[in-house]
Amino acid sequence: MIRSMTGFGRGEFADEVSKVTVEIRAVNHRYLDIFVKMPRKYAFAEETIKASIKERLHRGKVEVNVTIDNIGQSDSDIRLDKELAGKYYEALSELAGSFEFGEESKVSLNLLSRMPDVIKATAADEDEEAVQRRLLEATSKALDDFCNMREVEGAKLAKDLSERAETVAKLKNMIEKRAPEIEKEYAEKFRARVNEILDGVYEVPEERVALEAAIFADKANITEELVRLDSHVAQLRSFLEKGGDEGIGKKIDFLIQEMNREANTIGSKSNDKEITSMMLDLKAEIEKIREQVQNIE
């Protein structure tokens, strides 16, 4: 199945300790580029999250947003430094004894509690293995949701590309039908031009007209280009029917470049207004396919 690179997915996991929410967004990108935004204290799990995403995604600029709400316990611990508080008390008591401040000079609990680093809030110790398990559960659900959306969008892309491939095939057939007429028309134009120049004094032999037409036809021959274009269209249809391969978007992108090359050669060799007009329509359709292919993983 063809999959789009763009999409959004959301997954949640909750237990008695915490609730984890993971949101995944992705846009087009030539390679796989993953950016994870999560609380700093859980940064140890970032590579684990990236590894789980790499197992299922191959291209795209992916943004992952992780939020963790602790339910069963606070995510912070209070640490009291009694030794430091004692030193502050001794220093402040000594200062108070050196001067006559009166009753207000007594060292109070309120004052000590506000001294630097006596009481500190620190991150609570957590089971890293359990944290990673919760994150992976939520990430897996988000990936499921994300991939479902990509497949829906991919099906729409495949349908559009199939229709455009059909248009390319029709234009190719029209050019193929027109090509044999060019030699005949050139022969007629050549005969008329020479007769006009000679003004009936000398009649151009038919074999000479045929030779000139044959030389022109050889230079303007686009049979090989049409055959290759037909082959490329068939291969594009095959890719769209099978799909699902890793890097299928890159393969189709390369195929479209080859199709465009054949269209350019047809235009430069044909030397015919009708074929040139059809070739321009052909190139426009190929360009639309190329733009759509940029969305395929």
Side-chain angles (χ1 to χ4, degrees):
M1 177 180 287
I2 295 295
R3 290 184 290 269
S4 169
M5 269 191 281
T6 59
F8 172 81
R10 190 173 190 271
E12 291 184 356
F13 176 80
D15 58 15
E16 67 281 359
V17 176
S18 63
K19 176 184 176 182
V20 180
T21 304
V22 175
E23 294 180 340
I24 299 176
R25 293 178 176 83
V27 294
N28 303 345
H29 196 60
R30 189 174 181 182
Y31 305 106
L32 180 61
D33 185 16
I34 305 172
F35 174 73
V36 180
K37 183 180 179 181
M38 62 192 303
R40 192 170 181 178
K41 64 177 291 186
Y42 300 108
F44 62 84
E46 181 174 334
E47 290 304 317
T48 301
I49 293 174
K50 287 184 176 181
S52 68
I53 292 173
K54 288 177 182 178
E55 289 179 359
R56 300 180 64 176
L57 308 185
H58 308 294
R59 293 177 72 197
K61 188 172 184 179
V62 182
E63 181 181 317
V64 184
N65 189 52
V66 180
T67 56
I68 300 178
D69 297 318
N70 288 313
I71 300 171
Q73 61 183 25
S74 171
D75 59 359
S76 296
D77 283 338
I78 299 300
R79 302 292 174 86
L80 172 63
D81 193 332
K82 293 181 180 180
E83 184 179 350
L84 181 61
K87 291 180 180 180
Y88 275 127
Y89 181 83
E90 290 175 4
L92 291 169
S93 296
E94 184 180 345
L95 180 63
S98 301
F99 301 94
E100 293 295 331
F101 289 117
E103 187 68 24
E104 69 275 8
S105 65
K106 291 183 178 180
V107 181
S108 67
L109 177 62
N110 181 51
L111 176 62
L112 279 180
S113 67
R114 289 187 283 112
M115 299 307 293
D117 297 328
V118 171
I119 297 177
K120 292 193 296 184
T122 60
D125 293 333
E126 292 194 59
D127 184 343
E128 291 190 1
E129 186 176 333
V131 169
Q132 293 194 62
R133 177 180 57 79
R134 297 184 191 107
L135 286 169
L136 286 176
E137 288 281 356
T139 300
S140 178
K141 292 179 180 179
L143 281 170
D144 288 341
D145 191 31
F146 176 76
C147 289
N148 286 337
M149 179 178 284
R150 287 198 314 152
E151 289 177 359
V152 170
E153 292 299 317
K156 294 177 182 178
L157 281 173
K159 183 176 183 296
D160 181 72
L161 291 174
S162 294
E163 292 173 354
R164 296 193 183 282
E166 187 63 29
T167 301
V168 169
K170 289 179 181 178
L171 286 167
K172 190 274 300 182
N173 290 337
M174 290 169 62
I175 293 173
E176 193 171 38
K177 185 177 180 180
R178 169 63 185 166
E181 301 300 317
I182 300 175
E183 182 179 352
K184 298 176 185 177
E185 292 180 7
Y186 179 80
E188 291 299 322
K189 290 178 181 178
F190 176 76
R191 181 185 294 105
R193 188 165 62 250
V194 172
N195 287 335
E196 181 182 352
I197 294 172
L198 296 178
D199 196 22
V201 175
Y202 177 76
E203 185 175 349
V204 183
E206 281 301 316
E207 58 270 20
R208 178 61 179 173
V209 175
L211 177 60
E212 286 295 329
I215 293 173
F216 172 80
D218 183 61
K219 291 180 180 179
N221 188 285
I222 54 175
T223 301
E224 290 185 9
E225 287 75 19
L226 290 171
V227 169
R228 284 196 292 268
L229 183 58
D230 191 52
S231 174
H232 295 332
V233 172
Q235 195 168 3
L236 174 59
R237 287 168 172 162
S238 176
F239 281 147
L240 294 175
E241 289 172 5
K242 295 178 181 177
D245 293 342
E246 180 179 342
I248 189 71
K250 290 183 179 180
K251 294 178 182 178
I252 297 178
D253 190 38
F254 176 76
L255 185 64
I256 300 308
Q257 293 178 37
E258 294 301 306
M259 291 172 67
N260 193 58
R261 184 176 292 110
E262 302 304 339
N264 286 332
T265 306
I266 289 170
S268 63
K269 290 176 68 175
S270 64
N271 196 25
D272 177 71
K273 288 183 179 180
E274 289 189 36
I275 288 184
T276 298
S277 177
M278 289 184 280
M279 182 274 298
L280 291 175
D281 291 339
L282 179 65
K283 280 180 62 65
E285 203 64 30
I286 292 173
E287 177 59 23
K288 291 174 184 176
I289 293 175
R290 189 195 67 79
E291 290 174 358
Q292 290 286 56
V293 168
Q294 305 311 307
N295 297 319
I296 297 177
E297 183 183 30

